[in-house]
Amino acid sequence: MGLKKLGRPLRSVFTKLLLVMGSMGLLLYMGIGGVYWHVIGESRLQVYQENAVKYTDYLIRELGSPPSHKRAQDITQETGLGIRFIENGPGWTTSELVPLPESLHSWRWRENNGVQFARRYNKMIVVRDTPEGKFLFSAFPDETMMMGWLVTLMVVVGLVLFGAFVTIRWILRPLRDLARGVRAISAGDLTYRVPEYRTDELGRLTRAFNHMSGRIQMMLAARERLLLDVSHELRSPLTRIKVALEFLPPDDTRSLLRNDVEEMERMITEILENARLHSRFGRLNKTHFDLRELLEEMLPEYDGRAPGVRLAHFPDQVPLFADPEQVSTVMRNLITNALKYTPADSAPVEISVESQPLQTVIHVRDFGQGIAKDELELIFEPFYRTDRSRNKNTGGYGLGLSLCKAIMEAHEGSIAVNSVVNAGTIFTLNFPQHPEDKLEKNLPAPAA
Ligand code: ADP
């Protein structure tokens, strides 16, 4: 797993909340533990130690003089209290678990009523100096019971953390749904609605989000409707103007007017065609045809248009399963653009085909002015024209490429662009391959 993948769960709000809860739990535990230790623990220790003094007094008396090892062993047996006795010699002990006095240096010492207490962790040794010798008393904590508690504690902490995990996940679920909604809407699916199932703040956010996307959808639909209606309505007056033009005497003004009218007609056709392809009812008339044949019929239209168009790296047959009319529209748009934005003295526009598994890839390449990097994404938007072409009188309304994109998407294919300013532009069309349309193998390498 890469570091990036590992970093993502660490950066999530979810993990942060869990960490905050964990640290808060730990701090509270330490705070409460500290108060308990210092206030309650200390006063209880005082009581315990006073009792311990009295009890060990009693035990020392009970052991007699000299202290009876046998009696001490009985007491250890009965009460679990270890007793070590040291006279001048080595002395005796009822359990090896009672440490030797030499090993108690590093323990915490405390005196109560003239009696020494040595403490470390959960162990406490009572040290009594008597005229007979030194007594050490030690109660052994039950280690196995402590381990049992420790395991129980860990299981409880684990369960609490798991509960917190599940709860936070549940609370944050609308955020994940919202993220999915934002992705869907930015990908263009304005009909996407985020499921609403909460009444809390996140639920309100979800409802506001759905309301917003609904409004945007309505606004866009209204705008599109207006554009379509106006375009539609413009058709009849344009036809009437065209007819009227025929009755004018044939001079320059008439041909200028006719050119303008034809351009307006083209634009309206593009708008309506675009809308038709975007609508769910737009139909493609797909057939099997040869792209080379189609292009060879089309290219003579560009004869005499400098710098010219040529087929480069183009096999004898390029079978496609698509709508030939629409493919012609795409090719015409790309070729016209390439010629429009290329100076007459540069190398000719090249059309080539690349063999790829499962798809047919077509490149249209020019050596013209190119497109700036930050505009590459925008040129497929309707009515977008780069600054350079806005300043120049190159004709067009920025609809051609948006139509090409709509056509390619209707074919479940794609269109992409690659460009270097002042060096040239390559448009790449990607058609999914129909099982019958196998391109011949060993095609020449594409013009890169
Ligand atoms: P237009 O009708 O303005 O050509 P398009 O949608 O066909 O509209 O293209 C959008 C913009 O993309 C154009 O205005 C132009 O700036 C830019 N463009 C398209 N093709 C090329 C190209 N081959 N070389 C340079 N710029 C291009």
Side-chain angles (χ1 to χ4, degrees):
M1 199 197 289
L3 265 183
K4 258 195 181 154
K5 270 194 185 158
L6 208 79
R8 209 170 127 186
L10 287 181
R11 281 195 304 271
S12 90
V13 176
F14 182 71
T15 322
K16 283 176 194 153
L17 274 178
L18 209 63
L19 280 178
V20 167
M21 278 180 56
S23 348
M24 269 169 52
L26 200 71
L27 283 175
L28 276 177
Y29 173 78
M30 277 161 54
I32 294 172
V35 168
Y36 177 83
W37 185 261
H38 280 285
V39 180
I40 305 173
E42 277 302 299
S43 63
R44 273 174 52 166
L45 195 66
Q46 185 71 23
V47 174
Y48 166 80
Q49 285 176 344
E50 271 160 21
N51 275 293
V53 173
K54 292 258 183 296
Y55 181 51
T56 47
D57 269 346
Y58 159 78
L59 283 180
I60 291 167
R61 268 203 310 279
E62 172 85 14
L63 290 175
S65 173
S68 154
H69 187 190
K70 173 77 185 55
R71 182 71 193 116
Q73 278 170 330
D74 290 345
I75 292 172
T76 302
Q77 200 90 56
E78 275 171 42
T79 65
L81 187 78
I83 304 170
R84 186 184 281 282
F85 175 65
I86 299 157
E87 326 165 74
N88 303 327
W92 48 255
T93 181
T94 58
S95 160
E96 287 312 317
L97 290 174
V98 184
L100 285 164
E102 300 87 88
S103 63
L104 295 177
H105 292 308
S106 57
W107 292 41
R108 276 189 292 148
W109 286 87
R110 180 184 167 123
E111 204 191 291
N112 196 329
N113 289 333
V115 177
Q116 303 286 340
F117 292 86
R119 212 152 45 105
R120 189 159 77 173
Y121 306 126
N122 54 350
K123 290 201 181 98
M124 165 102 72
I125 313 278
V126 185
V127 183
R128 304 287 315 249
D129 281 307
T130 64
E132 302 271 0
K134 198 191 266 289
F135 284 94
L136 281 81
F137 298 91
S138 163
F140 319 118
D142 183 345
E143 302 281 348
T144 52
M145 194 179 85
M146 299 257 306
M147 275 311 283
W149 275 111
L150 206 68
V151 170
T152 314
L153 185 74
M154 275 161 70
V155 170
V156 169
V157 168
L159 281 177
V160 168
L161 279 180
F162 180 73
F165 176 86
V166 174
T167 315
I168 297 178
R169 223 180 130 79
W170 176 77
I171 291 174
L172 292 185
R173 210 176 107 193
L175 274 190
R176 283 199 302 279
D177 294 338
L178 275 169
R180 212 171 295 137
V182 171
R183 274 200 298 276
I185 285 183
S186 47
D189 179 10
L190 284 172
T191 55
Y192 191 92
R193 292 292 175 269
V194 181
E196 298 171 7
Y197 45 81
R198 288 282 170 79
T199 47
D200 57 9
E201 286 86 343
L202 289 179
R204 286 205 290 279
L205 182 63
T206 306
R207 277 192 296 284
F209 179 87
N210 283 342
H211 183 69
M212 179 193 74
S213 40
R215 293 275 307 158
I216 295 177
Q217 193 187 4
M218 263 165 56
M219 272 156 52
L220 284 182
R223 228 180 57 171
E224 207 166 312
R225 194 68 257 158
L226 180 73
L227 182 69
L228 281 182
D229 289 349
V230 170
S231 311
H232 212 83
E233 292 304 314
L234 278 175
R235 272 189 150 170
S236 339
L238 271 180
T239 315
R240 285 199 298 275
I241 294 173
K242 252 172 97 178
V243 174
L245 273 175
E246 296 305 316
F247 294 103
L248 288 183
D251 59 9
D252 282 355
T253 324
R254 184 178 105 160
S255 75
L256 273 178
L257 279 176
R258 188 196 273 146
N259 281 350
D260 281 347
V261 169
E262 273 170 4
E263 198 165 309
M264 282 170 81
E265 261 195 318
R266 231 187 354 263
M267 181 187 174
I268 285 168
T269 312
E270 278 181 354
I271 293 176
L272 293 175
E273 192 59 19
N274 218 329
R276 193 179 73 83
L277 277 163
H278 273 122
S279 94
R280 269 167 294 160
F281 312 106
R283 283 260 170 272
L284 290 173
N285 292 320
K286 280 191 176 182
T287 53
H288 291 276
F289 67 95
D290 177 15
L291 181 67
R292 187 176 180 114
E293 212 177 291
L294 183 135
L295 282 176
E296 277 174 351
E297 270 173 32
M298 184 193 295
L299 290 188
E301 293 172 22
Y302 301 99
D303 281 348
R305 290 274 304 270
V309 188
R310 70 185 189 92
L311 299 183
H313 306 287
F314 217 94
D316 290 339
Q317 274 199 331
V318 181
L320 265 191
F321 180 62
D323 184 330
E325 292 243 346
Q326 309 286 7
V327 173
S328 304
T329 307
V330 172
M331 294 309 296
R332 268 204 190 88
N333 269 313
L334 294 185
I335 296 169
T336 317
N337 274 349
L339 291 171
K340 212 160 45 175
Y341 301 109
T342 304
D345 56 353
S346 70
V349 173
E350 288 176 354
I351 306 176
S352 56
V353 171
E354 194 183 328
S355 141
Q356 282 202 4
L358 305 178
Q359 52 193 6
T360 306
V361 182
I362 300 153
H363 301 283
V364 178
R365 178 183 199 189
D366 68 59
F367 301 88
Q369 64 180 49
I371 304 165
K373 230 192 179 97
D374 52 341
E375 293 189 302
L376 283 180
E377 291 242 328
L378 303 169
I379 55 171
F380 296 106
E381 297 293 318
F383 297 109
Y384 186 83
R385 311 197 67 216
T386 64
D387 276 340
R388 283 165 155 222
S389 34
R390 247 177 248 133
N391 299 336
K392 270 195 218 164
N393 189 14
T394 41
Y397 305 91
L399 277 173
L401 287 179
S402 112
L403 179 60
C404 290
K405 188 171 170 214
I407 292 176
M408 290 311 293
E409 280 171 0
H411 280 89
E412 280 156 16
S414 64
I415 180 168
V417 63
N418 222 316
S419 185
V420 177
V421 172
N422 293 329
T425 307
I426 305 180
F427 279 94
T428 303
L429 302 177
N430 233 310
F431 285 96
Q433 218 166 62
H434 193 268
E436 284 179 27
D437 297 339
K438 280 270 170 305
L439 258 186
E440 292 152 48
K441 292 267 161 47
N442 58 30
L443 269 178

